Amino acid sequence: MDGFKEAQSLEELQTFVKEKDLALLYLYGKNCSVCHAVLPQIKPIIESYPEIESMQADVQKLQSIAGEYTVFTIPVVLLFVNGQEVMRFARFIERNKVNEQLKKITDALKA
């Protein structure tokens, strides 16, 4: 799925979240039509915040991710600040709400 860098393991995702100040995860399923529809809508929004680094993972392929990040439905957008989850959107993700939250979080970190 064309999007962000694809994680190959749970360990890679965990390291990514720990090492980045602002880490965004897009968790999806290969056979999820909603996942494929949402990504092209939110990707430009996320990319408009250069301070946020992003990675994606297929939870159907790497099932341990669902348990690690408490994922019950897909797609899921998670934002971590210094390794702590600060934002979560799942299933029916509204672009405007994602943008509003990202703006609030990044503005607060700049202040």
Side-chain angles (χ1 to χ4, degrees), residues 28-65:
Y28 70 96
K30 180 181 176 184
N31 299 320
C32 167
S33 60
V34 175
C35 300
H36 289 278
V38 167
L39 183 59
Q41 295 177 17
I42 65 165
K43 187 177 180 212
I45 295 167
I46 295 164
E47 289 176 337
S48 71
Y49 296 91
E51 61 270 55
I52 299 174
E53 298 194 51
S54 304
M55 185 172 272
Q56 68 184 34
D58 182 344
V59 296
Q60 293 170 328
K61 179 180 170 189
L62 303 170
Q63 294 178 0
S64 58
I65 292 169

Side-chain angles (χ1 to χ4, degrees), residues 4 22 24 41-54 95-96 98-103 106-107 110:
F4 307 108
L22 287 167
L24 184 132
Q41 295 177 17
I42 65 165
K43 187 177 180 212
I45 295 167
I46 295 164
E47 289 176 337
S48 71
Y49 296 91
E51 61 270 55
I52 299 174
E53 298 194 51
S54 304
R95 294 181 310 220
N96 293 339
V98 170
N99 192 41
E100 288 171 14
Q101 285 297 314
L102 292 177
K103 181 164 178 31
T106 55
D107 286 351
K110 292 175 188 174

Side-chain angles (χ1 to χ4, degrees), residues 10-27:
L10 172 60
E11 294 75 22
E12 183 180 6
L13 275 181
Q14 291 170 324
T15 300
F16 176 77
V17 167
K18 287 178 188 172
E19 291 180 350
K20 307 300 180 190
D21 294 335
L22 287 167
L24 184 132
L25 302 182
Y26 182 75
L27 306 179

